[in-house]
Amino acid sequence: MSAPSQARFVRRGAPAYTPAMAAAKRRPKTTWACTACGETTRGWFGQCPSCQEWNTIKEQVERPSAGARVVLATPGTSAKAIPVTQAQAAARDEARLPTGIHEFDRVLGGGLVPGSLVLLGGAPGIGKSTLLLQACAGLVGSGGRSVLYASGEESIAQVANRAARLRGGEFVAADERLLLLAETRIESILDAVTEHRPDVLVVDSIQTVYSDAQDGLPGNISQIRSVTGHLLSWAKTTNVPVVIVGHVTKDGQLAGPRLLEHMVDAVLSFEGDEERATRMLRASKNRFGSTAELGVFEMTGLGLREIKNPSEAFLADHPEQAIGSAVTASLEGSRPLLLEVQALLGPSPGGYPRRTCVGADPNRLAMLLAVLDRHADLFVVDQDVFVNVAGGLRLNEPAADLAVLLAVASSHLRKPIAGRTVMIGEVGLTGELRRVPRLDERLAEAGRLGFDRAIVSGRAGSGTTRPRGPKGLAIVEVETVVQAVEAAFDG
Ligand code: TYD
Ligand code: MG
């Protein structure tokens, strides 16, 4: 068999390059991209092959432009490598800019770092604009800085009205150094900041801002990439921190935050639910600080109020001597926090008992149920189990194991845990209890809130230092879950 002739694929007499072909090349290229993760695909898919989200692949018209590139050094100078020691010395001189809102500053790691790009994400209506307006008030009020607040969502009058109403914090936003700008074109925003030279720039929100250099509607993935690129370049070249707001819908459908996360220095999320006024601020990425810190606020009619003693707030409605309730001391970053774990057991009608957790890990719960069953002779594995962490908080460390386990045991035995008791310990698969880090700080917090007994994991005679609690707090050290159950229900 002879090989097929090459000539079959070339139209005879066709010119090599027609004007129509040249025009087609100049036409903006159409690509498809996921609005959630930014992955580009070759066509439309119902489900994104990268992040598995549904209905997120959208057509994008892309034209290569200068706005898509990010500049990290002063324009015009060629990049130069410098010794790390020299760079460290330069970095030390860059003092942070505290916003004056302590809960916000702690999550940032001590304030805004010059030249950094911070993303504040959260569901619409959660209070992002309110928080930033109060942070602006703090920056101008306590730090004497100037801030430019660019709003693409609200008119100047709306922002000004809100600024006049905010009395939740120490500072008021009515100050000449707080400049408001209602603008959605990034080039105009950058012209304004070049003119006014503020110490901090706030852009609310990234989904409403667009760039002339890019096609497509604001909020579109290529627009978000381009606008963030502009802001990143501007922040790094002028050394001015930029805070941008990004909306996330409840199901995470909207473009932005996930793609943005890679570009920015810190990602903060503002959380809470509609029924409660409590709002929590966490960092999921922070190049300049810890991601373990938690900031707690309350939304009031006069704006956000900082909650300096979250333990008190979260234990405010804590019923004493209630069946299925246990209190633990958890560490949230640098701070111990007391929280209440509730459990309810019930007969399971089907063959598959349900485990429903709000704020706790269902896999961890399954393990604790197995431990109770095997090592404490409490037969709970055939029951429906519901576990809830009061106040909308999440358990994020194994030190809370003992409280979950004893809350379940309390519901099963239909007996409340004796006295005002706090429970701290990690549970192992063999039914042993392990020590937890920074126990003394947790005990001090429990003592401060009037608890008089603590059941903690401890191995007598293991040579480790004994836990030291505050006056009035009796410490019961237990080594196994059996001892813990005895200690919890005998008092
Ligand atoms: P907002 O900051 O506009 O939310 P976001 O920018 O995240 O969309 O806050 C909106 C909600 O907060 C609104 O429903 C009303 C409420 N709110 C108060 O309860 N008290 C206040 O002082 C302010 C300013 C807002
Ligand atoms: Mg807003």
Side-chain angles (χ1 to χ4, degrees):
M1 239 175 71
S2 66
S5 151
Q6 280 284 318
R8 263 216 274 164
F9 302 109
V10 180
R11 214 167 5 114
R12 226 172 274 255
Y17 198 59
T18 63
M21 285 159 81
K25 251 201 147 160
R26 278 197 306 271
R27 223 177 286 142
K29 210 172 97 211
T30 299
T31 56
W32 298 81
C34 172
T35 53
C37 68
E39 177 74 16
T40 51
T41 59
R42 289 206 282 153
W44 187 85
F45 289 87
Q47 186 182 24
C48 171
S50 170
C51 70
Q52 320 295 327
E53 287 280 348
W54 288 93
N55 289 328
T56 52
I57 306 289
K58 297 271 165 3
E59 192 176 3
Q60 312 277 324
V61 182
E62 204 127 4
R63 199 181 283 152
S65 72
R69 274 178 306 227
V70 174
V71 185
L72 293 177
T74 316
T77 60
S78 56
K80 193 163 154 273
I82 60 164
V84 63
T85 45
Q86 205 177 318
Q88 276 167 349
R92 262 198 302 276
D93 296 339
E94 290 182 356
R96 286 182 186 249
L97 281 66
T99 65
I101 301 183
H102 307 291
E103 296 289 299
F104 190 22
D105 286 340
R106 212 189 39 252
V107 175
L108 284 169
L112 291 164
V113 172
S116 66
L117 193 57
V118 176
L119 171 68
L120 176 68
I126 202 76
K128 300 179 295 297
S129 307
T130 309
L131 176 66
L132 287 182
L133 211 49
Q134 286 184 239
C136 291
L139 279 161
V140 298
S142 73
R145 314 278 179 173
S146 62
V147 185
L148 194 140
Y149 187 101
S151 175
E153 304 204 333
E154 291 160 292
S155 67
I156 288 191
Q158 280 173 310
V159 181
N161 263 339
R162 179 191 305 219
R165 264 200 313 134
L166 295 176
R167 290 285 184 281
E170 275 172 70
F171 306 102
V172 285
D175 192 299
E176 297 194 325
R177 284 164 300 188
L178 173 57
L179 305 170
L180 302 180
L181 176 73
E183 180 60 67
T184 54
R185 190 172 152 266
I186 188 69
E187 286 81 5
S188 309
I189 295 175
L190 292 182
D191 284 347
V193 288
T194 311
E195 186 194 333
H196 294 290
R197 285 262 154 211
D199 295 314
V200 177
L201 169 66
V202 176
V203 178
D204 184 2
S205 68
I206 196 78
Q207 276 97 355
T208 56
V209 181
Y210 71 97
S211 163
D212 283 341
Q214 203 75 43
D215 287 316
L217 293 169
N220 172 317
I221 209 96
S222 50
Q223 280 290 4
I224 288 186
R225 193 183 291 141
S226 165
V227 169
T228 313
H230 272 108
L231 290 171
L232 186 58
S233 303
W234 185 79
K236 300 296 166 193
T237 49
T238 59
N239 219 16
V240 169
V242 177
V243 183
I244 52 186
V245 170
H247 290 296
V248 247
T249 55
K250 290 253 157 61
D251 45 358
Q253 286 277 339
L254 210 66
R258 260 191 274 171
L259 162 93
L260 282 170
E261 279 172 34
H262 299 290
M263 300 180 78
V264 301
D265 295 305
V267 182
L268 311 184
S269 54
F270 205 38
E271 305 162 3
D273 53 34
E274 283 107 45
E275 297 101 77
R276 267 185 285 261
T278 314
R279 299 282 182 273
M280 277 164 276
L281 183 69
R282 292 174 195 276
S284 58
K285 166 179 176 177
N286 193 350
R287 288 189 180 141
F288 311 109
S290 151
T291 54
E293 297 291 351
L294 171 75
V296 187
F297 298 89
E298 186 194 347
M299 180 63 96
T300 70
L302 300 171
L304 290 158
R305 194 173 64 83
E306 292 181 69
I307 298 191
K308 301 236 165 80
N309 289 313
S311 297
E312 267 164 47
F314 292 128
L315 287 185
D317 321 319
H318 162 58
E320 284 191 25
Q321 299 292 307
I323 291 173
S325 159
V327 175
T328 189
S330 171
L331 287 181
E332 293 283 345
S334 56
R335 238 186 348 191
L337 188 63
L338 292 198
L339 31 99
E340 184 198 352
V341 183
Q342 298 174 334
L344 180 68
L345 271 62
S348 181
Y352 289 101
R354 276 193 293 169
R355 276 89 178 86
T356 309
C357 292
V358 180
D361 175 12
N363 293 325
R364 196 88 194 163
L365 174 66
M367 182 209 107
L368 295 173
L369 296 179
V371 168
L372 265 181
D373 180 64
R374 180 63 65 90
H375 298 288
D377 278 337
L378 294 179
F379 192 62
V380 290
V381 284
D382 66 338
Q383 310 256 315
D384 280 347
V385 181
F386 305 90
V387 170
N388 176 36
V389 182
L393 285 159
R394 287 194 295 252
L395 299 180
N396 54 10
E397 48 160 14
D401 284 351
L402 191 57
V404 178
L405 184 124
L406 291 175
V408 170
S410 161
S411 179
H412 181 72
L413 298 169
R414 300 186 188 216
K415 263 193 201 173
I417 292 168
R420 282 181 65 76
T421 308
V422 59
M423 283 134 271
I424 309 158
E426 178 183 347
V427 174
L429 287 180
T430 61
E432 91 279 15
L433 292 177
R434 307 223 179 128
R435 281 196 179 263
V436 303
R438 294 163 58 193
L439 182 60
D440 292 351
E441 287 169 53
R442 301 174 200 248
L443 294 174
E445 179 76 356
R448 203 176 62 75
L449 282 154
F451 282 79
D452 51 24
R453 200 163 73 112
I455 302 178
V456 303
S457 45
R459 282 183 180 275
S462 62
T464 49
T465 50
R466 303 289 307 273
R468 270 177 303 138
K471 249 202 198 105
L473 184 77
I475 296 172
V476 185
E477 284 181 278
V478 288
E479 284 182 42
T480 64
V481 293
V482 177
Q483 291 173 4
V485 170
E486 276 167 15
F489 300 105
D490 75 349

